[in-house]
Amino acid sequence: MSADIGLTGLGVMGQNLALNIAEKGFEISVHNRTYAKTTHTEERSQKEGKGEYKLKGYESMEDFVKSIKKPRQVIMLITAGKAVDLTIEELCKHLEEGDTIIDGGNEWYENTNKRAEALKAKNIGYMGMGVSGGEEGARHGPSLMPGGPEESYKHLEPILTKIAAQVDDGPCVTWIGPGSAGNYVKMVHNGIEYGDMQLISEIYDLLKNVGGLDNQELHKVFAEWNQGELKSFLIEITARLMTKRDDKDKNNYLLDSVQDKSGSKGTGKWTVQEGAEQAVPLPTMSSALDARYMSSYKTQRVKASKVLKGPEPKKGENIDKEQLINDLRHALYASKICSYAQGMNLIREASKKFEWNLDLGKISRIWKGGCIIRAVFLDRIKNAYLKNKDLDNLLMDDSFAQEMADRQEGWRRVIGLAIQQGVSVPALSASLAYYDAYRRARLPANLIQAQRDFFGAHTYERVDDDGNYVHSEWDQQDDNRSVE
């Protein structure tokens, strides 16, 4: 028994995380259901580490587990669902009391709770750990979101702090909280990611099909934006995507050959479902999810394009490009803040419900590096929550509130332009609607509640008698006439 840690599940993420651990000087044992992946990982380790990495593969689960120092720590990077349960079952044949299993996959948080409770009876620790950053992040430094028993985290901490992405104020990892808090926070991270990607795609659509910018001009815009307040991983790669030539035809750009159908693996849907469960509005993320679903209706959309009438975008016609680019920059920034605000509100409400006592400032900090949604303004989000941990909404932070006010003129202008030219901008529109609804002291929900009381006797509160619910006979008119 000599390995500091074990890892089973050597897909793209698992293999790269294992190599990251080995590169940082830790001895690691690896295992995979298909042994060929284990040997491939060993070969990569030999090549990349020039024989210095302490990584060893095992074909049997028993030998794999026995090779790890006690108390054993085993990371799983397995596809969520039944495969995780089968792997846990196999691991438990060989693990002992005091050992810990760490699920590093994107798992539904309630499944983590069930598994942790079942393993508690065997005195085996169980943690759910979000891992963000994709293949590159896993290999060179991801953002890690571990949740579960704090004592288990402390045992893992020396390894996690070394392999995580490093930023100006430390490694991008912290103990998130008890139970399934780590999985939950990673789920919300992915929901924000959905919103971010949709917002950028809508901006791209308007720049290209309303502004008439070609790919080189698009590259220049996104590259310039990545030098300022919009600096982020997604803006950076968007700039790079614009100028990649198509291998099949070097005269064309590869992006223009990509089918307009986007997939999803479920975490965005989980976030939207949780928003409904916790009664937290997530309009930007919901719109992003709907947009992915709409994109999959490609065949129907092609048919509809020949039947349904409406305005068509006029590329560059009567458009002040400089003004449009500036307005879109403001619209994107303001909408992104709304999206992050929605995500942080969901985390806060779940924290209250499950008594996790989550620190939104710490969570914002570990997203500064390694993960897909890393962005320069996360430092300001961190500071907003450090200044006021009970902040009702990110939009209420003084500096963000002022920025939203300063940027909304261009925001409103581009949404109006999109509507006039028949370009769908669901996430940009939903973000502005969220902002406008949140800043109004009175909404038309009084009519909805009156309707509910009329047809279902659901009762309502009066503005002059807050806290008491009453029911009225709405069809009893003052002049004794019935509603027809």
Side-chain angles (χ1 to χ4, degrees):
M1 295 182 292
S2 60
D4 299 300
I5 194 167
L7 188 149
T8 182
L10 296 171
V12 172
M13 290 294 286
Q15 186 172 123
N16 281 285
L17 192 66
L19 290 167
N20 182 359
I21 293 169
E23 184 181 43
K24 298 305 188 296
F26 300 101
E27 189 167 339
I28 179 170
S29 296
V30 297
H31 168 270
N32 193 76
R33 183 176 59 83
T34 306
Y35 188 52
K37 286 190 176 181
T38 306
T39 57
H40 179 252
T41 304
E42 285 186 306
E43 289 166 3
R44 273 193 68 188
S45 174
Q46 287 292 316
K47 182 179 178 181
E48 295 180 23
K50 298 178 180 177
E52 294 181 3
Y53 290 176
K54 296 178 180 178
L55 181 150
K56 184 170 175 55
Y58 293 87
E59 185 168 11
S60 78
M61 184 69 82
E62 181 178 7
D63 290 341
F64 164 69
V65 171
K66 284 182 176 179
S67 72
I68 306 166
K69 293 175 186 173
K70 298 180 183 179
R72 301 179 182 92
Q73 301 170 99
V74 180
I75 297 175
M76 295 186 302
L77 275 162
I78 310 289
T79 303
K82 185 65 176 175
V84 174
D85 291 315
L86 293 172
T87 302
I88 292 171
E89 183 180 336
E90 186 65 21
L91 278 168
C92 284
K93 293 176 183 177
H94 313 290
L95 293 175
E96 301 173 7
E97 290 189 4
D99 294 342
T100 300
I101 299 173
I102 306 101
D103 183 0
N106 286 326
E107 184 57 87
W108 177 239
Y109 76 98
E110 289 184 351
N111 288 342
T112 297
N113 288 334
K114 291 174 185 174
R115 290 164 183 154
E117 190 61 32
L119 288 171
K120 191 176 181 181
K122 302 174 186 277
N123 199 24
I124 293 174
Y126 192 76
M127 301 181 68
M129 181 175 71
V131 180
S132 180
E135 179 180 354
E136 186 73 10
R139 180 65 184 85
H140 300 292
S143 173
L144 299 170
M145 293 153 259
E150 189 171 10
E151 59 273 21
S152 296
Y153 171 72
K154 289 187 180 301
H155 198 58
L156 264 176
E157 190 174 16
I159 296 176
L160 299 186
T161 53
K162 286 283 189 181
I163 67 170
Q166 308 293 316
V167 293
D168 57 351
D169 52 3
C172 291
V173 61
T174 188
W175 178 63
I176 298 295
S180 54
N183 287 126
Y184 200 98
V185 167
K186 176 56 164 59
M187 174 192 73
V188 176
H189 164 286
N190 285 21
I192 294 172
E193 179 184 312
Y194 271 52
D196 234 356
M197 294 172 73
Q198 178 63 28
L199 288 168
I200 295 169
S201 74
E202 291 173 17
I203 295 293
Y204 156 73
D205 193 6
L206 290 168
L207 285 169
K208 183 180 179 72
N209 294 307
V210 175
L213 277 70
D214 62 27
N215 284 49
Q216 290 294 334
E217 291 174 309
L218 288 164
H219 165 78
K220 182 181 178 182
V221 167
F222 285 109
E224 287 178 353
W225 286 358
N226 198 48
Q227 301 305 310
E229 76 277 22
L230 284 169
K231 183 176 182 179
S232 64
F233 173 71
L234 286 171
I235 294 293
E236 175 192 339
I237 67 168
T238 299
R240 291 164 61 184
L241 289 168
M242 294 300 155
T243 53
K244 171 69 175 175
R245 293 287 181 176
D246 191 340
D247 289 339
K248 289 187 175 182
D249 184 353
K250 292 296 184 180
N251 293 318
N252 294 326
Y253 293 102
L254 181 57
L255 181 61
D256 298 327
S257 297
V258 176
Q259 185 66 276
D260 59 324
K261 293 166 64 176
S262 53
S264 60
K265 290 188 175 180
T267 46
K269 180 177 73 173
W270 289 349
T271 309
V272 173
Q273 288 174 335
E274 266 301 292
E277 186 67 29
Q278 307 303 334
V280 175
L282 305 175
T284 307
M285 300 179 205
S286 299
S287 298
L289 182 64
D290 285 342
R292 292 197 184 195
Y293 293 153
M294 179 61 80
S295 75
S296 70
Y297 284 80
K298 176 67 175 180
T299 303
Q300 291 186 33
R301 288 189 289 111
V302 170
K303 291 179 182 178
S305 69
K306 300 171 184 176
V307 176
L308 303 180
K309 304 302 179 185
E312 297 290 337
K314 303 175 178 65
K315 288 190 175 184
E317 188 176 316
N318 299 319
I319 291 292
D320 182 335
K321 284 189 180 182
E322 186 175 342
Q323 179 69 62
L324 178 65
I325 291 168
N326 194 50
D327 285 350
L328 287 170
R329 182 174 129 251
H330 290 318
L332 178 57
Y333 185 84
S335 296
K336 280 164 68 74
I337 296 304
C338 285
S339 182
Y340 280 74
Q342 293 160 32
M344 300 312 278
N345 283 354
L346 178 56
I347 292 172
R348 185 190 60 210
E349 291 307 308
S351 178
K352 290 178 185 176
K353 178 178 179 179
F354 302 123
E355 299 180 347
W356 286 337
N357 194 30
L358 303 187
D359 187 324
L360 298 184
K362 285 185 177 180
I363 290 168
S364 304
R365 191 199 69 77
I366 66 168
W367 288 346
K368 286 171 58 179
C371 70
I372 303 302
I373 65 170
R374 61 184 184 266
V376 69
F377 61 60
L378 274 161
D379 205 45
R380 293 184 52 216
I381 294 176
K382 176 198 75 173
N383 291 333
Y385 286 111
L386 290 179
K387 183 171 65 176
N388 180 5
K389 67 181 181 64
D390 297 318
L391 189 65
D392 287 336
N393 190 302
L394 193 59
L395 300 178
M396 296 294 285
D397 175 74
D398 291 342
S399 64
F400 282 123
Q402 185 59 52
E403 284 200 305
M404 300 299 279
D406 293 342
R407 293 167 187 272
Q408 64 179 286
E409 186 177 343
W411 195 8
R412 297 179 189 282
R413 201 156 40 225
V414 296
I415 290 172
L417 178 64
I419 292 169
Q420 290 168 2
Q421 298 223 15
V423 177
S424 173
V425 286
L428 286 168
S429 301
S431 299
L432 180 59
Y434 176 80
Y435 175 74
D436 280 340
Y438 191 69
R439 69 185 184 84
R440 290 185 66 187
R442 185 167 173 81
L443 293 170
N446 59 314
L447 176 58
I448 293 172
Q449 196 60 16
Q451 291 171 332
R452 294 180 73 241
D453 191 51
F454 185 102
F455 65 69
H458 291 293
T459 74
Y460 61 94
E461 290 179 273
R462 292 182 56 90
V463 295
D464 54 3
D465 190 15
D466 189 35
N468 292 317
Y469 289 81
V470 296
H471 166 63
S472 294
E473 296 296 334
W474 294 89
D475 58 351
Q476 302 279 321
Q477 301 296 305
D478 290 340
D479 58 3
N480 294 321
R481 287 185 301 170
S482 298
V483 176
E484 296 181 0

